[in-house]
């Protein structure tokens, strides 16, 4: 039975049902829920989500090519996340079920660890087949379905391009070793292309085409200056192959032979792999172990010029075929060498900042900002189209390759006193155990992660503070099943617990019965909710993702303070690295007059003056302050003089390129601040945009209905309806007299022509009325206005349409009367979804015939393909 939704009284219809349900479940007071949702910008993000190219059918033109700069990436292995078929291993179908969770967390991209057929002796970084999905995790169709489901949610997908090495089980290696056995290391190889096109052949055995796919040698004495990376497992970079009767080169495990990039057929094979996955619609590729592609005598065999040449070639290949995709290099190097992987903006788009990562931990433990500032000052500037990838933890050990010997000793002492925690040159622990499960420290390091210059990457499970189990060997202790609930197998799988790919964490401090998503979703003070808030807040400010970095140097070295700036945004970040309260004096004199707003509470702190700005911080406390220009709102409150537009007085061309800028940057922002119906006067504008212009009448000089989207620095975006019209001569004079506040602008030299709010125009009012009662359909650029008339429409309405008046004393909306019989309300702030006024009055009128409220006659709805209908007018 049709009935008003019971959500109305709670005003919740706008919000995502999953989150709402959970909030209601835990009985949180309504006011606080709204506050939280607003902070999370859920309304903004759900209602205004723009679909850009994500899948094959998307619209390429709408993609921001720099999307990766604004991303928040979540790293996971499909096997760890959710097991849909009860075999003890996570799979793509399970991952699809958890996409809502990831979307609610606020991340914008998923980085998938390798999921290809593999013996899994290096967790999938040992690939046996580059063109398929490991059957343990599903099928290629499952992967496609996942990609599609992720794109539907505006989540991008980054996969692994592991090209430095393969598994020794890969058919390429099997053929290669047989060919070497046949022809010898220096014997004739095939330079035949793997696509079958014969470039030249030396012998009729098909294996020969693969002979030089790997780096073979008769002696293990070559390339002696290359270090061994997996120190705890390997003693040489050469391994003897009893089939080939020769040595092959490997930088990682001995079962991972290195591909030979001196062989052009390898380039060709890699391009095919790359095209395959990008062709499916993958948005980005992580280039595993990219510094080691080439080998040269008397070098470290890392970062060779040949490697950079190759990377440029690969990038050009991708750019030509797949615009707007992203390459993320894994180059674990010192800052100069790492930055070289950006080239001149023509190698990788992104690269991990490996040297910064351990220094954030170091600074926290030393209670001194020096390690962070020092390494960032050593980091060269990077091309505009490039971005660092920032992370605290990942699937590997916390690597200490990019620190000095003393620093490594220090890190081991303070973060890995138990020798079991050490592996290779690093520490195999998750974030929470590294920080002794201190909530304050976890928040502090995440605050740094989200405010450092780069794109943050969250390792799965760290958002709920999962523990680890280093007794599981290798790096498996950080790869245990995701903890969803206190149920069997942490809600990860229905399998027999003994069948799980790894046991769930039962360490008493991090036991899955206590540390899990379900528990934390119910508790708004949990780490999970904190992460959601901080991610949402970061996304409110482009300064974090694109802005410059400038350190402030207060005398107190325990306090790290820096600015992130982008266009009109300035964020001051202040972090107390100490476990005790601290105070610091910041030199912010150049911002004298500005007011720091603490972004989570929106509290205004005392204004900045020429003198030092004194700040006090509790133990491990942190602040994000958005600096607010002092003038914005006060200026608007002064009496406004309508500005002049130097352009022809024609609505058709008014939003053309030259005037649009003036209208959106200056005229409308100043105008709306003077309007009674505009409720966000105290907020700071980021920008205003006219997103839709609908012609209420076909006449060239008829009114238009503008939908104006306003983005704020300190609040979620809002959309307002402003009907506009241009009149001149006598008509202009009479509007100026009757409603001077409705004048938006004058036109230079056009018989006193004015642009004004069209509710003051009788013709427009009548057209609005007619649009409803005649059930008109008005087409816009990407939307429609639809007139809906109810059952109570009287036949004689036509008389009323011409007799209208505006009701003065407007509040948050504007109202008018027709023939003293019909009341029409224009909603100024537009909200997606069912409108409670419409639904309730319609129900009372049409279903229960309730005589004591004004009857529902009709409404005007704005329908946009990507969101729920929005009611613009109610009659
Ligand atoms: C880097 C990956 O992150 C790591 O997990 C892997 O073992 C090595 N590359 C070798 O593929």
């Amino acid at each position: 039975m049709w009935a008003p939704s019971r959500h109305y009284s709670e005003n919740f219809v706008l919000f995502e049902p999953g989150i709402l349900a959970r909030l209601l479940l835990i009985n949180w007071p309504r006011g606080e829920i709204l506050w939280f949702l607003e902070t999370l910008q859920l309304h903004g993000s759900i209602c205004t989500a723009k679909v850009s190219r994500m899948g094959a059918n998307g619209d390429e033109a709408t993609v921001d090519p720099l999307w990766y700069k604004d991303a928040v990436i979540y790293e996971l292995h499909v096997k760890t996340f959710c097991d849909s078929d009860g075999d003890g291993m996570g799979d793509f179908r399970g991952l699809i079920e958890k996409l809502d969770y990831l979307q609610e967390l606020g991340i914008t991209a998923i980085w998938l660890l390798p999921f290809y057929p593999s013996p899994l002796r290096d967790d999938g970084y040992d690939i046996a087949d580059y063109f398929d999905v490991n059957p343990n995790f599903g099928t290629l169709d499952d992967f496609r379905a996942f990609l599609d489901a992720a794109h539907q949610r505006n989540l991008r997908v980054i996969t692994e391009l592991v090209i430095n090495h393969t598994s020794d089980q890969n058919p390429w290696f099997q053929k290669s070793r047989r060919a070497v056995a046949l022809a010898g290391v220096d014997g004739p190889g095939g330079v035949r292309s793997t696509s079958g096109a014969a470039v030249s052949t030396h012998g009729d055995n098909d294996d020969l085409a693969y002979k030089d796919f790997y780096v073979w040698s008769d002696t293990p004495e070559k390339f002696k200056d290359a270090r061994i990376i997996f120190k705890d497992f390997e003693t040489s970079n050469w391994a003897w192959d009893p089939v080939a009767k020769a040595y092959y080169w490997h930088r990682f495990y001995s079962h991972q032979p290195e591909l030979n990039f001196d062989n052009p057929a390898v380039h060709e094979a890699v391009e095919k792999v790359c095209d395959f996955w990008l062709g499916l619609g993958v948005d980005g590729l992580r280039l595993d172990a990219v510094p080691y592609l080439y080998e040269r005598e008397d070098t470290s065999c890392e970062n060779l010029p040949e490697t950079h040449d190759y990377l440029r070639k690969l990038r050009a290949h991708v750019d030509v075929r797949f615009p707007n995709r992203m390459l993320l290099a894994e180059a674990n190097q010192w800052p100069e060498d790492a930055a070289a992987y950006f080239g001149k903006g023509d190698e990788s788009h992104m690269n991990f900042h490996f040297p910064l990562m351990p220094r954030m931990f170091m600074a926290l433990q030393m209670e001194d900002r020096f390690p962070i500032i020092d390494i960032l000052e050593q980091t060269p500037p990077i091309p505009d189209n490039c971005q660092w990838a920032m992370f605290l933890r990942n699937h590997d050990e916390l690597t200490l390759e990019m620190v000095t010997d003393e620093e490594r000793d220090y890190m081991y002492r303070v973060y890995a006193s138990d020798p079991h925690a050490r592996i290779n040159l690093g520490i195999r622990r998750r974030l929470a155990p590294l920080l002794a499960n201190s909530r304050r420290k976890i928040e502090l390091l995440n605050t740094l992660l989200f405010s450092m210059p780069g794109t943050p990457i969250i390792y799965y499970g760290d958002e709920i503070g999962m523990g680890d189990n280093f007794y599981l060997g290798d790096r498996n202790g950080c790869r245990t099943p995701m903890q969803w609930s206190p149920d069997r197998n942490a809600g990860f799988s229905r399998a027999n617990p003994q069948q799980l790919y790894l046991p769930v964490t039962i360490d008493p401090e991090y036991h899955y019965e206590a540390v899990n998503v379900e528990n934390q979703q119910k508790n708004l003070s949990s780490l999970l909710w904190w992460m959601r808030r901080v991610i949402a807040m970061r996304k409110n400010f482009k300064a974090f993702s694109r802005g410059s970095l400038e350190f402030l140097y207060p005398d107190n070295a325990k306090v790290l303070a820096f600015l992130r700036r982008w266009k009109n945004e300035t964020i001051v970040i202040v972090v107390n690295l100490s476990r005790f309260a601290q105070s610091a004096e910041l030199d912010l004199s150049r911002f004298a007059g500005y007011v720091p707003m603490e972004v989570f509470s929106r509290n205004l702190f005392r204004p900045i003056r020429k003198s030092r700005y004194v700040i006090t911080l509790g133990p491990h406390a942190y602040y994000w302050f958005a600096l607010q220009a002092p003038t914005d709102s006060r200026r608007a409150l002064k009496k406004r003089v309508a500005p002049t537009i130097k352009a022809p007085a024609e609505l058709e061309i008014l939003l053309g390129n030259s005037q649009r800028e003036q209208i959106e940057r200056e005229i409308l922002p100043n105008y709306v601040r003077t309007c009674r119906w505009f409720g966000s006067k105290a907020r700071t504008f980021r920008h205003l945009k006219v997103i839709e212009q609908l012609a209420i009448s076909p006449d060239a000089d008829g009114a238009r209905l503008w939908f104006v989207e306003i983005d704020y620095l300190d609040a979620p975006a809002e959309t307002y309806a402003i009907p506009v019209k241009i009149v001149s001569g006598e008509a202009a004079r009479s509007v100026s007299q009757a409603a001077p506040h409705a004048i938006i602008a004058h036109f230079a030299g056009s018989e006193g022509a004015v642009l004004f709010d069209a509710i003051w125009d009788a013709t427009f009012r009548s057209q609005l009325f007619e649009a409803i009662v005649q059930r008109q359909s008005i087409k816009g650029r990407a939307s429609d206005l639809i007139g809906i008339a109810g059952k109570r429409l009287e036949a004689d309405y036509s008389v009323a349409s011409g007799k209208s008046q505006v009701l003065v004393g407007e509040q948050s909306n504007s109202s008018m009367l027709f023939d003293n019989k019909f009341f029409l309300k224009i909603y100024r702030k537009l909200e997606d979804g069912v409108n409670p006024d419409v639904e309730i009055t319609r129900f009372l009128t049409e279903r229960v015939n309730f005589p004591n409220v004004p009857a529902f006659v009709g409404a005007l709805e704005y329908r946009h393909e990507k969101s729920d209908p929005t009611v613009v007018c109610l009659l």
Side-chain angles (χ1 to χ4, degrees):
M1 192 192 108
W2 184 89
S5 151
R6 67 183 172 80
H7 292 317
Y8 286 155
S9 55
E10 296 152 12
N11 211 359
F12 284 145
V13 280
L14 298 172
F15 303 123
E16 197 283 326
I19 288 190
L20 177 61
R22 270 191 290 282
L23 290 167
L24 291 172
L25 203 74
I26 55 177
N27 260 335
W28 200 261
R30 174 175 172 266
E32 299 216 13
I33 294 175
L34 288 173
W35 181 86
F36 268 110
L37 291 169
E38 210 180 285
T39 307
L40 289 176
Q41 236 201 337
L42 287 175
H43 179 195
S45 57
I46 287 169
C47 301
T48 61
K50 294 193 179 50
V51 176
S52 49
R53 182 215 54 80
M54 296 261 185
N57 305 325
D59 175 5
E60 196 65 47
T62 62
V63 177
D64 177 356
L66 301 181
W67 60 265
Y68 46 88
K69 289 198 168 206
D70 302 321
V72 177
I73 301 176
Y74 189 88
E75 178 197 352
L76 66 91
H77 196 304
V78 63
K79 87 175 174 189
T80 64
F81 220 54
C82 179
D83 171 16
S84 73
D85 57 6
D87 67 353
M89 281 238 191
D91 44 49
F92 279 110
R93 292 282 156 192
L95 180 53
I96 292 173
E97 285 170 28
K98 297 300 181 187
L99 285 176
D100 287 345
Y101 166 78
L102 293 177
Q103 196 179 19
E104 285 176 14
L105 181 57
I107 58 110
T108 65
I110 301 168
W111 157 23
L112 288 182
L113 294 170
F115 51 80
Y116 318 101
S118 156
L120 296 180
R121 295 173 70 194
D122 184 14
D123 215 10
Y125 282 100
D126 44 337
I127 298 179
D129 177 357
Y130 282 95
F131 301 97
D132 208 346
V133 168
N134 187 323
N136 288 319
F137 313 144
T139 62
L140 209 46
D141 273 346
D142 292 343
F143 174 77
R144 283 197 192 94
F146 154 74
L147 191 60
D148 214 47
H151 285 168
Q152 297 286 333
R153 291 167 171 79
N154 280 351
L155 297 173
R156 294 177 190 268
V157 175
I158 300 163
T159 58
E160 292 272 353
L161 190 64
V162 186
I163 55 175
N164 179 64
H165 48 268
T166 70
S167 158
D168 58 7
Q169 301 306 304
N170 193 301
W172 296 347
F173 184 73
Q174 296 299 325
K175 290 180 186 177
S176 188
R177 70 193 329 193
R178 288 197 296 265
V180 173
L182 194 76
V185 168
D186 297 321
V191 235
R192 190 167 41 183
S193 107
T194 49
S195 59
V199 176
S200 78
T201 50
H202 308 270
D204 32 320
N205 188 329
D206 181 51
D207 295 345
L208 278 182
Y210 292 87
K211 183 189 145 261
D212 295 326
F213 253 52
Y214 295 84
V215 182
W216 293 101
S217 168
D218 287 321
T219 155
E221 298 304 315
K222 288 160 86 174
F223 314 134
K224 284 247 174 233
D225 295 333
R227 67 189 168 117
I228 294 169
I229 297 170
F230 282 178
K231 261 171 32 72
D232 287 359
F233 302 92
E234 301 292 343
T235 51
S236 165
N237 285 325
W238 290 105
W240 171 255
D241 181 38
V243 176
K245 301 213 170 1
Y247 294 94
Y248 60 86
W249 180 248
H250 63 88
R251 294 303 300 270
F252 296 96
Y253 285 120
S254 57
H255 54 77
Q256 289 168 307
E258 302 254 319
L259 285 164
N260 172 18
F261 277 81
D262 281 318
N263 180 357
V266 167
H267 297 201
E268 213 182 291
V270 165
E271 282 167 8
K272 273 196 227 151
V273 176
C274 178
D275 294 353
F276 180 78
W277 294 100
L278 293 180
L280 287 181
V282 160
D283 302 283
L285 296 170
R286 173 183 178 272
L287 305 174
D288 182 65
V290 78
Y292 318 114
L293 300 187
Y294 283 82
E295 303 75 30
R296 291 292 178 264
E297 211 53 81
D298 300 323
T299 72
S300 65
C301 298
E302 298 185 18
N303 314 323
L304 295 177
E306 291 84 346
T307 298
H308 288 288
D309 291 344
Y310 173 72
L311 207 49
R312 264 192 300 281
K313 181 179 167 194
L314 182 67
R315 167 70 179 269
H317 174 90
V318 170
D319 281 355
V320 167
R321 284 162 189 79
F322 303 101
N324 305 326
R325 312 301 171 93
M326 183 274 288
L327 299 178
L328 163 59
E330 189 220 11
N332 184 353
Q333 300 291 327
W334 288 92
E336 289 258 335
D337 292 331
Y341 284 85
F342 296 121
K344 294 192 173 93
D346 55 358
E347 294 190 28
S348 58
H349 305 77
M350 292 184 70
N351 187 8
F352 295 93
H353 204 310
F354 276 98
L356 174 65
M357 181 273 299
R359 285 172 178 82
M360 291 193 265
F361 287 90
M362 224 183 282
L364 175 61
Q365 195 61 32
M366 290 165 60
E367 304 198 354
D368 191 317
R369 67 191 179 214
F370 175 78
I372 294 176
I373 297 188
D374 181 50
I375 204 71
L376 286 173
E377 283 178 350
Q378 287 179 45
T379 303
I382 61 175
D384 282 348
N385 59 342
C386 295
Q387 177 87 324
W388 289 109
M390 296 295 175
F391 64 106
L392 295 171
R393 290 295 300 111
N394 62 19
H395 61 291
D396 289 327
E397 68 276 24
L398 187 165
T399 170
L400 298 172
E401 284 159 287
M402 295 306 132
V403 297
T404 63
D405 290 349
E406 293 76 40
E407 289 169 333
R408 190 174 311 119
D409 286 347
Y410 176 77
M411 286 292 285
Y412 276 145
R413 209 169 53 245
V414 298
Y415 284 113
S417 51
D418 183 335
H420 286 108
R422 303 178 191 183
I423 184 174
N424 298 322
L425 276 189
I427 304 172
R428 48 179 165 188
R429 302 228 66 179
R430 268 188 177 272
L431 184 64
L434 276 168
L435 302 178
N437 214 8
S438 154
R439 174 70 182 267
R440 280 187 180 158
K441 288 185 178 178
I442 294 173
E443 287 187 9
L444 185 148
L445 280 194
N446 273 303
T447 300
L448 286 182
L449 173 71
F450 288 112
S451 46
M452 284 283 145
T455 293
I457 302 183
I458 302 160
Y459 184 50
Y460 87 93
D462 282 350
E463 75 276 21
I464 55 168
M466 262 172 65
D468 54 34
N469 179 359
F470 47 60
Y471 299 107
L472 293 176
D474 200 340
R475 292 147 290 174
N476 292 329
C478 300
R479 300 171 179 179
T480 57
M482 179 68 181
Q483 294 169 194
W484 294 106
S485 74
D487 300 340
R488 174 163 54 119
N489 301 326
F492 159 77
S493 167
R494 298 184 313 276
N496 179 328
Q498 302 199 138
Q499 201 186 345
L500 296 190
Y501 74 90
L502 282 176
V504 290
T505 301
I506 52 170
D507 176 320
E509 197 174 354
Y510 303 95
H511 199 290
Y512 69 85
E513 287 180 358
V515 179
N516 62 60
V517 171
E518 188 181 298
N519 286 355
Q520 296 201 15
Q521 264 169 343
K522 283 189 264 182
N523 178 357
L524 289 173
S525 303
S526 64
L527 179 61
L528 177 61
W529 272 98
W530 184 87
M531 290 290 281
R532 284 176 171 173
R533 287 194 292 272
V534 88
I535 292 170
M537 192 53 78
R538 177 192 157 96
K539 292 198 294 193
N540 279 340
F541 298 98
K542 271 232 159 71
F544 284 125
S545 52
R546 304 212 179 187
S548 61
L549 167 76
E550 187 188 329
F551 286 108
L552 302 170
Y553 297 91
D555 286 345
N556 185 347
K558 293 183 188 305
V559 174
L560 173 69
F562 54 99
L563 305 177
R564 300 295 315 277
R565 305 187 73 181
W566 170 257
K567 296 194 173 162
N568 61 344
E569 292 177 10
T570 301
I571 312 287
V572 185
I573 295 106
V574 193
V575 173
N576 176 12
L577 296 163
S578 162
R579 63 203 186 285
F580 299 115
Q582 301 289 334
S583 93
E585 294 185 359
L586 307 180
D587 180 1
L588 294 171
S589 50
R590 79 193 111 142
F591 301 109
Y594 279 69
V595 180
M597 183 195 64
E598 196 283 317
V599 297
F600 291 99
S601 61
R602 298 197 200 149
N603 285 336
L604 297 181
F605 276 45
R606 80 189 169 81
I608 297 167
R609 298 187 204 291
K610 284 272 171 226
S611 53
R612 302 264 153 155
Y613 196 82
V614 180
I615 192 117
T616 52
L617 299 111
H620 292 138
Y622 49 82
Y623 290 122
W624 282 353
F625 292 117
L627 295 193
Q628 292 199 330
T631 46
D632 284 3
S633 44
R634 268 180 250 151
R635 207 193 293 135
L637 294 179
K638 287 199 204 130
K639 197 165 165 27
R640 174 177 163 272
V641 179
T644 302
I645 299 175
K646 290 195 185 110
E650 291 171 39
L651 265 178
E652 280 299 324
I653 55 169
L654 197 55
L655 292 181
N657 284 341
S658 48
Q659 295 80 243
R660 186 182 262 271
E661 163 97 358
Q662 190 196 4
I663 289 173
E664 293 183 340
R665 286 185 60 141
E666 183 197 317
I667 296 178
L668 283 180
N670 290 335
Y671 170 70
V672 295
R673 284 197 183 96
T674 64
C675 296
R676 282 287 298 271
W677 46 258
F678 180 63
S680 296
K681 295 192 178 68
R683 292 184 170 156
T684 309
F685 281 43
R686 191 203 307 266
H687 57 246
L688 176 154
K689 203 167 175 344
V690 181
I691 54 169
E692 184 59 282
Q693 161 161 243
L694 292 144
I696 292 289
S697 89
D699 310 337
D701 58 355
R704 300 281 183 276
L705 188 54
W706 283 358
F707 290 148
V708 172
E709 185 181 85
I710 307 177
D711 235 343
Y712 304 100
L713 276 185
D714 44 0
E718 293 173 330
T719 305
Y720 286 86
I722 310 181
V724 292
K725 187 166 181 178
I726 297 175
V727 289
S728 57
E730 190 45 41
R733 270 188 293 283
S734 80
V735 178
S736 303
Q737 269 172 15
H741 56 280
I743 306 291
I744 300 171
H746 297 279
F747 288 88
S750 301
E751 287 180 70
V754 291
L755 173 73
F756 70 107
D757 186 323
I759 65 161
W760 292 93
D761 177 67
T763 314
F764 168 70
R765 293 196 296 269
S766 151
Q767 285 163 345
L768 211 51
F769 187 92
E770 298 287 338
I772 296 173
V773 296
Q774 292 180 12
R775 300 184 173 92
Q776 287 174 9
S777 168
I778 298 161
K779 272 227 148 308
R781 197 180 47 83
S783 59
D784 296 307
L785 261 190
I786 308 285
I788 298 168
K791 294 180 183 164
R792 276 293 185 86
L793 185 59
E794 294 173 22
D796 65 346
Y797 64 80
S798 52
V799 183
S801 134
K803 296 186 191 166
S804 67
Q805 71 189 84
V806 177
L807 288 178
V808 283
E810 64 177 18
Q811 297 293 324
S812 48
N813 297 306
S814 302
S815 311
M816 46 200 95
L817 270 186
F818 290 82
D819 197 19
N820 275 331
K821 266 165 102 183
F822 297 92
F823 172 85
L824 188 149
K825 170 147 93 172
I826 296 192
Y827 291 92
R828 292 298 187 153
K829 191 165 123 200
L830 300 180
E831 316 262 24
D832 280 5
V834 190
N835 177 304
D837 292 346
V838 170
E839 198 171 2
I840 292 168
T841 52
R842 191 169 194 182
F843 179 79
L844 292 175
T845 308
E846 298 182 355
R847 295 287 157 138
V848 294
N849 261 324
F850 187 66
N852 301 329
V853 292
F856 171 83
V857 177
L860 199 57
E861 260 185 17
Y862 171 55
R863 292 189 189 162
H864 188 275
E865 53 176 359
K866 300 291 181 309
S867 46
D868 290 339
T870 303
V871 172
V872 183
C873 297
L874 168 65
L875 186 62

